Amino acid sequence: MSDVCKVKQYVWELPLRWFHWINVLAIVILSGTGFLIGHPVTLGSTPSDYAMGWIRLIHFVAAYAFTVSVASRVVWAFIGNEHASWRAFFPMYSAKGREKLRHMIRYYTLQTHEVPEIVGHNPLATTAYFVLFLIYLGMILTGFAMYATHAPGGIMFKSLGFMYSHFTLQGMRLAHHLGMWLIFGFVINHIYSAWLMDIKEHGGEISSMFSGYKFTVKKGE
């Protein structure tokens, strides 16, 4: 007769958790200030209150923090543990990854009720994360390209010259705005999926982003 035991395993390293929560905070701030920048409102009692100026400053500071966090996460993909590795973002390149991906697709499409036992990110999630990072890159490029127009002769403006060659400012604003809504859609799905797997796996999916530890199930005789 088999019994089931749970093994506590350290999965998410501290830097990875820091990147995650910095991104969460930055996205909340960027979204809130971005809405106000896109649809300005009168918040100050007099023009000298410089309310929108402060909102733009907060947006820019959050943008720099977000950019550094995303860049650091990319670096960590090469120096972190196996669960943070860049290889996890390309499950199709290994037979094991393809098998796990098929299993996750079958589970999410209700073809099986067996919950896949995966320690780190599941391969379906990492595929979505790769797309998310492409959206992040688009947001960073369009955001700083619009920001750099305040100093046409500056280093940032010259470094992003290719952006002005391919896109108009209005086109970049539209792409920036669309990117925000795509991120919102991902966040909703991300929270739901984490909650679902936390209930189904009982592995501490959500708490692991605070502690770094997950509980994996092992069957024994």
Side-chain angles (χ1 to χ4, degrees):
M1 187 169 186
S2 65
D3 58 338
V4 177
C5 65
K6 292 182 180 179
V7 179
K8 188 176 182 180
Q9 185 172 349
Y10 189 61
V11 178
W12 310 125
E13 298 166 296
L14 182 61
L16 188 72
R17 285 177 276 141
W18 271 105
F19 303 149
H20 178 273
W21 292 114
I22 289 173
N23 287 349
V24 169
L25 180 60
I27 288 172
V28 170
I29 294 174
L30 287 167
S31 300
T33 54
F35 269 120
L36 293 174
I37 291 171
H39 303 278
V41 295
T42 302
L43 297 175
S45 56
T46 65
S48 61
D49 288 339
Y50 198 59
M52 287 305 302
W54 284 110
I55 289 172
R56 284 169 57 84
L57 175 62
I58 293 171
H59 189 82
F60 298 149
V61 171
Y64 276 106
F66 178 72
T67 301
V68 171
S69 178
V70 171
S72 299
R73 175 62 183 92
V74 172
V75 172
W76 199 255
F78 294 92
I79 62 177
N81 66 15
E82 62 176 308
H83 305 298
S85 174
W86 62 271
R87 293 180 180 84
F89 290 83
F90 302 97
M92 295 300 292
Y93 282 96
S94 69
K96 186 177 180 180
R98 289 192 294 271
E99 179 59 31
K100 288 182 178 180
L101 181 60
R102 281 193 293 268
H103 198 164
M104 288 305 305
I105 292 175
R106 283 175 54 81
Y107 177 71
Y108 278 117
T109 55
L110 307 178
Q111 297 180 56
T112 177
H113 295 292
E114 182 183 351
V115 182
E117 182 61 32
I118 297 173
V119 178
H121 291 303
N122 77 65
L124 198 58
T126 53
T127 303
Y129 295 154
F130 177 70
V131 175
L132 178 67
F133 270 81
L134 292 180
I135 296 173
Y136 283 170
L137 178 61
M139 295 294 282
I140 290 169
L141 289 175
T142 54
F144 280 111
M146 289 187 289
Y147 172 68
T149 55
H150 78 282
I155 295 176
M156 185 181 295
F157 185 89
K158 293 178 180 178
S159 299
L160 294 170
F162 66 94
M163 292 292 292
Y164 310 111
S165 300
H166 294 85
F167 304 99
T168 63
L169 280 177
Q170 186 57 34
M172 285 189 277
R173 289 191 185 95
L174 180 61
H176 203 69
H177 194 78
L178 177 62
M180 179 189 68
W181 287 108
L182 290 175
I183 291 173
F184 280 174
F186 170 83
V187 168
I188 293 171
N189 177 75
H190 182 61
I191 293 174
Y192 168 75
S193 297
W195 172 75
L196 173 66
M197 298 312 294
D198 209 352
I199 292 175
K200 294 294 185 179
E201 289 184 341
H202 302 287
E205 187 79 20
I206 295 176
S207 63
S208 68
M209 243 336 125
F210 295 94
S211 67
Y213 288 93
K214 291 184 70 176
F215 295 90
T216 58
V217 177
K218 287 190 176 182
K219 296 181 180 179
E221 294 297 320

